[in-house]
Amino acid sequence: MKLIVLACLAAVALAAPRPEDDPVAILRDDRQDDGDGNFKYEFESDDGTFVSAVGTPGAEGQSNIQGSYRFTLPDGTIAEVTYIANENGFQPQSDLLPTPHPLPAHAIEQIRFAEEQRAVQPPAPQPLAPQPPAAKPFPASSF
């Protein structure tokens, strides 16, 4: 029994996470909060990570934030994202973000043709309002 407990303790010790790299030093951590919804912060570390944001109160009660962040990819290239976050949502911009493939020429031609057809076609007829049923005459009496 003691051997099993000892083996479990050894397994837990070996499974404990170990840092693979040296700790990352923080070079700068500047924060400013005016208390009225306006704020600004910048953060930079020695591994190339950089974060910056400026926030202001929005007209619809939200925070409007404009900022960017930068970090180093495993291949050594620098990745950067700039963004705006406001009443229209989060709007990032970066060369890293996927973009839709351009439409082929035949698809663009089909779209142009459909827009031309919509422009020259008369509007679709509106359905008629339902009419009340016609009154039926009373049957003649047989007296």
Side-chain angles (χ1 to χ4, degrees), residues 5-43:
V5 171
L6 186 59
C8 289
L9 287 174
V12 168
L14 290 173
R18 291 179 290 258
E20 294 179 15
D21 297 329
D22 293 331
V24 176
I26 305 302
L27 302 176
R28 183 168 41 140
D29 188 358
D30 297 330
R31 300 167 193 250
Q32 176 185 342
D33 185 352
D34 297 341
D36 58 357
N38 293 296
F39 64 90
K40 177 180 179 179
Y41 64 85
E42 288 188 347
F43 169 87

Side-chain angles (χ1 to χ4, degrees), residues 14-127:
L14 290 173
R18 291 179 290 258
E20 294 179 15
D21 297 329
D22 293 331
V24 176
I26 305 302
L27 302 176
R28 183 168 41 140
D29 188 358
D30 297 330
R31 300 167 193 250
Q32 176 185 342
D33 185 352
D34 297 341
D36 58 357
N38 293 296
F39 64 90
K40 177 180 179 179
Y41 64 85
E42 288 188 347
F43 169 87
E44 186 174 10
S45 62
D46 71 351
D47 67 351
T49 301
F50 177 79
V51 180
S52 174
V54 175
T56 57
E60 297 181 22
Q62 81 287 350
S63 289
N64 292 334
I65 304 172
Q66 184 171 356
S68 66
Y69 52 94
R70 178 177 63 226
F71 56 94
T72 305
L73 295 170
D75 67 0
T77 58
I78 304 294
E80 184 166 8
V81 177
T82 59
Y83 64 90
I84 295 174
N86 57 22
E87 64 275 358
N88 298 318
F90 181 69
Q91 304 157 49
Q93 293 183 345
S94 175
D95 293 338
L96 296 172
L97 299 175
T99 57
H101 294 288
L103 290 174
H106 72 276
I108 294 171
E109 175 60 23
Q110 287 176 333
I111 292 169
R112 184 198 59 74
F113 181 75
E115 288 171 349
E116 281 180 6
Q117 292 298 309
R118 275 191 219 108
V120 297
Q121 267 185 345
Q126 297 297 320

